[in-house]
Amino acid sequence: MLCASGCVHRRLTIRTNPPGALVEVNGRRIGTSPCAMDFTYYGTYEIRMSLPGYETLVVKQPVVPPWYQVPPLDAISDNLLPVQVTNRHEYLWNLTPLPASAFDDNQLRERAFDFRTRARTGP
């Protein structure tokens, strides 16, 4: 009977507006939004979302355990429940479009010239 006991399935889902942003969690690439991943431990995750034409967003997101995952109740929910429990955490973030000045060709050439000059002179 104990071999057939259930466990807790933990799932983190990340959505962005607009969709299609590249998502990394703690430096590991997850996919493009909307995307999901399974996780084992609760805590704070660093989530990085990037999409061409939008500012890159880096968020430190705490994932809080539900009441049945707090010690000592977690031992019961992880090992002795006769069914599998799914614990879902879903987050939605709005990405900010880059300002029009970020696409100015003259500014881009000036920045490239500055980088080239600094690279030749050294630190």
Side-chain angles (χ1 to χ4, degrees):
M1 176 107 167
L2 287 177
C3 294
S5 65
C7 63
V8 176
H9 180 245
R10 298 166 192 89
R11 190 112 174 122
L12 178 66
T13 303
I14 299 164
R15 302 178 193 282
T16 61
N17 186 19
L22 178 65
V23 178
E24 297 176 12
V25 177
N26 291 341
R28 194 180 85 191
R29 185 176 291 178
I30 301 303
T32 56
S33 67
C35 60
M37 65 175 259
D38 295 333
F39 68 96
T40 304
Y41 303 106
Y42 296 98
T44 302
Y45 289 86
E46 182 180 90
I47 302 171
R48 178 185 204 83
M49 296 154 280
S50 58
L51 183 66
Y54 291 84
E55 291 183 17
T56 299
L57 180 63
V58 179
V59 178
K60 291 198 184 266
Q61 179 63 51
V63 178
V64 181
W67 65 270
Y68 54 85
Q69 285 288 277
V70 176
L73 297 176
D74 62 338
I76 296 168
S77 62
D78 281 340
N79 301 311
L80 300 178
L81 286 180
V83 295
Q84 181 176 355
V85 177
T86 302
N87 182 3
R88 293 186 175 99
H89 295 268
E90 295 191 20
Y91 300 101
L92 170 68
W93 286 282
N94 293 315
L95 300 178
T96 307
L98 286 172
S101 63
F103 300 104
D104 184 22
D105 288 340
N106 292 330
Q107 248 185 348
L108 182 61
R109 284 189 189 98
E110 288 175 18
R111 287 179 49 209
F113 181 75
D114 289 342
F115 285 136
R116 185 181 319 138
T117 304
R118 278 190 268 158
R120 288 183 181 162
T121 59

